[in-house]
Amino acid sequence: MTQPTPGRRERKKAQTRKGLADAALRLFLEHGYDQVSVKDVAEAADVSVTTLFKHFSGKEALVFDRDTEQSAALVAAVRDREPGSTVLDALHAYLHGLLVTVREAPEFRAFRELVDGTPVLSDYAHRMWLRHETALAGAIAEAAGADGDGASARALAHYVLAAPRLAAGCDDPGSALDEIFARLKKGWADLGG
């Protein structure tokens, strides 16, 4: 099934959105997040501030312009997993690849340092990431043949989405993520007193 080619209007909107996000990231990396205003970003992208707010909800959102794609990728990791692969195995592999890419790829280093070094961006990134919980819980419940509003699917989605941030704070994030997913697969019964 092929996607229909977007019309001219959609292409122009996407081009404007990308231009804004690219200008914002360039300015934030050059001058620091707190030293750049939305007016500066709008001017750099040659649009009005009103146009900027038609595409982004606020200054923080300019940094994370691929939020929708990320939600779709998480759901796809569950729905499109290899036959015989568990939901946790598929999410572990997807998040491990994402974590390693973001931690080790040179092109992400400056972005990661910007987000990690700016408390408002770090907090926004965490809140944004956890917004994917509902979509991921639905995919998990669907894979289990359960109600999409089930508490266990929501809980698992929550823990899975919290794992990368917890692992990122460790000396060896990849190993930490592996440890977290091993615990999710095993459960906590053996931790009793």
Side-chain angles (χ1 to χ4, degrees), residues 32-104:
Y33 177 79
D34 294 325
Q35 285 67 45
V36 177
S37 69
V38 291
K39 183 179 178 196
D40 297 331
V41 174
E43 287 176 2
D46 197 26
V47 299
S48 69
V49 172
T50 303
T51 297
L52 183 147
F53 283 114
K54 286 180 182 177
H55 292 275
F56 293 95
S57 60
K59 186 176 170 183
E60 299 91 349
L62 286 161
V63 178
F64 305 100
D65 64 317
R66 298 192 171 194
D67 186 36
T68 305
E69 293 171 22
Q70 190 60 60
S71 186
L74 284 161
V75 169
V78 172
R79 290 186 178 151
D80 302 338
R81 68 189 185 279
E82 294 292 321
S85 176
T86 69
V87 166
L88 278 174
D89 289 337
L91 287 168
H92 180 196
Y94 173 74
L95 291 173
H96 195 279
L98 187 65
L99 182 66
V100 168
T101 299
V102 170
R103 296 288 299 177
E104 296 178 5

Side-chain angles (χ1 to χ4, degrees), residues 1-6:
M1 187 162 80
T2 60
Q3 295 287 340
T5 304

Side-chain angles (χ1 to χ4, degrees), residues 18 24 47 114 121 177 191:
K18 183 179 181 336
V47 299
L114 172 69
L121 289 178
L177 189 70
L191 295 179

Side-chain angles (χ1 to χ4, degrees), residues 63-64 110-123 125-126:
V63 178
F64 305 100
F111 175 80
R112 194 182 76 247
E113 289 171 357
L114 172 69
V115 172
D116 291 347
T118 310
V120 69
L121 289 178
S122 181
D123 290 344
H126 181 64

Side-chain angles (χ1 to χ4, degrees), residues 171-186:
D171 291 335
D172 183 353
S175 293
L177 189 70
D178 294 343
E179 183 181 330
I180 291 167
F181 269 88
R183 178 54 63 186
L184 286 173
K185 292 172 189 173
K186 184 177 181 179

